[in-house]
Amino acid sequence: MMRALLVAALLAIVTPPVAAKRPVAEPAPRKGMLQGPFELHSRIYPGTVRRYWVYVPAGYDRNRPPNLLLFHDGQRAINPRGPLQLPAVLDRLIADGAIPVTLGVFVTPGNRSAHYPETLGLDNPDHRVAEYDALSDDYARMTLDELLPAVARGWRFAAEPARRAIGGTSSGAIAAWTVAWRHPEAFGNVLSFIGSYTSIGLTIGPDGLPRTPGGDTYPGLIRKSPIRSLRIFLQDGTGDLDNEHGNWFLANQQMLKSLEWANAHADAEGRGGPRYDIAHRWTGGGHSDADGGAILPDVLRWIWRDQRAAETR
């Protein structure tokens, strides 16, 4: 008995304690590189200049052009302390294989100046309304004929509209919709957060009649126009703005109802052709990027849900 106790005591002395297992930290995603800012002087909007940044994803291969995400109000989209933080979101989703490898382009509106003012920070340039809230083709032409060719001089990206998405918040969202609505051959996907489908762009002539239309025209245009091959995600908050330009939440509901009606009407008539691919999320917030930023990863997964990451690498 004494011998057994002595052996046990000796083992206790010479046997080291078993170290507790430390939790293994999840590896950080491979980070893409944010290039820029670059300046773009527009011929379509003479006297204006805008900034843009290019997010080059980890694993970028120019021989396998990646998907493209173009997002407006780029100064806020890339803000590392803001609610969107798009470069970090893309890093994580691409690393997880949740979306295809994607090149990001984040562009500001134009400013009437020789160079983009360093003092603007996250504020809006002075040509934003003229570009974002107009229903003309000018902003789309600037995007397709000036901005994307400038990006393409440095980086390749997909040409197929199904592999291109355009998005924004507020007036940046209606600008995204206008580009895709007019050019579905260039962009097949739209991310619209707190979209300004209101009368901001409306101007009235001396006779009291509309001289240029506002974004509140879109629900009627959607109902009376051929269906485009577009996938669109709409988000708005029940506490969004209500002012002289309109009621934002009602305007976004009108957009959704018009898209749904266009699909249902085409089905009822037995017409072939495309249908709008629509999803939406009504949240409880106001006119802020916060709610859109909270659901942004889910929206990007939904946009490219039928494209396996491996297929585009």
Side-chain angles (χ1 to χ4, degrees):
M1 181 67 177
M2 290 294 295
R3 181 180 176 82
L5 290 173
L6 181 60
V7 171
L10 287 170
L11 287 172
I13 293 170
V14 300
T15 304
V18 177
K21 288 186 177 180
R22 294 182 179 179
V24 178
E26 184 179 349
R30 293 175 63 198
K31 290 184 181 257
M33 295 177 61
L34 190 65
Q35 306 281 349
F38 306 102
E39 283 195 348
L40 178 71
H41 294 263
S42 174
R43 299 182 306 276
I44 293 167
Y45 296 114
T48 66
V49 60
R50 66 213 79 254
R51 273 183 174 171
Y52 67 94
W53 295 259
V54 178
Y55 164 87
V56 185
Y60 168 79
D61 181 351
R62 65 175 292 104
N63 295 317
R64 295 183 176 182
N67 281 21
L68 174 69
L69 171 63
L70 172 62
F71 211 88
H72 293 128
D73 292 309
Q75 74 279 25
R76 291 195 286 273
I78 65 167
N79 180 13
R81 291 176 295 279
L84 296 172
Q85 299 182 31
L86 263 159
V89 170
L90 291 174
D91 278 342
R92 175 60 66 185
L93 292 175
I94 293 168
D96 290 347
I99 64 170
V101 174
T102 300
L103 188 85
V105 177
F106 311 115
V107 61
T108 72
N111 197 76
R112 297 181 187 90
S113 53
H115 293 284
Y116 195 89
E118 295 291 344
T119 55
L120 269 179
L122 299 176
D123 292 338
N124 291 329
D126 61 15
H127 208 241
R128 185 173 186 262
V129 169
E131 295 179 13
Y132 282 8
D133 292 290
L135 272 61
S136 73
D137 200 36
D138 289 349
Y139 186 75
R141 286 172 49 229
M142 187 280 296
T143 300
L144 300 178
D145 298 342
E146 297 179 340
L147 174 62
L148 291 188
V151 174
R153 286 194 284 272
W155 300 274
R156 296 187 66 195
F157 46 85
E160 306 93 321
R163 294 183 56 199
R164 290 178 169 191
I166 186 168
T169 70
S170 189
S171 292
I174 190 175
W177 169 257
T178 297
V179 173
W181 167 260
R182 284 184 166 272
H183 295 278
E185 80 287 352
F187 284 97
N189 305 283
V190 181
L191 293 76
S192 172
F193 300 148
I194 57 172
S196 299
Y197 304 103
T198 60
S199 67
I200 295 174
L202 172 68
T203 60
I204 299 174
D207 57 359
L209 297 175
R211 189 165 50 190
T212 60
D216 52 340
T217 308
Y218 268 130
L221 286 173
I222 291 167
R223 289 173 182 263
K224 296 187 176 183
S225 300
I227 294 175
R228 276 75 160 160
S229 183
L230 293 174
R231 177 175 289 177
I232 177 170
F233 190 99
L234 294 165
Q235 175 272 327
D236 198 24
T238 56
D240 207 343
L241 295 172
D242 185 13
N243 58 29
E244 72 274 18
H245 301 302
N247 181 292
W248 264 246
F249 185 45
L250 288 176
N252 277 272
Q253 291 178 84
Q254 284 275 31
M255 286 289 290
L256 176 64
K257 287 298 183 184
S258 296
L259 293 163
E260 291 176 338
W261 181 89
N263 284 347
H265 186 59
D267 290 345
E269 291 193 337
R271 279 191 273 126
R275 299 291 187 270
Y276 294 113
D277 187 1
I278 323 152
H280 73 283
R281 184 87 59 88
W282 304 143
T283 58
H287 199 73
S288 159
D289 294 350
D291 287 2
I295 64 172
L296 179 56
D298 290 337
V299 175
L300 286 169
R301 290 188 191 97
W302 180 82
I303 286 288
W304 283 313
R305 66 189 185 274
D306 48 7
Q307 295 181 39
R308 291 186 302 178
E311 291 177 347
T312 54
R313 289 186 180 177

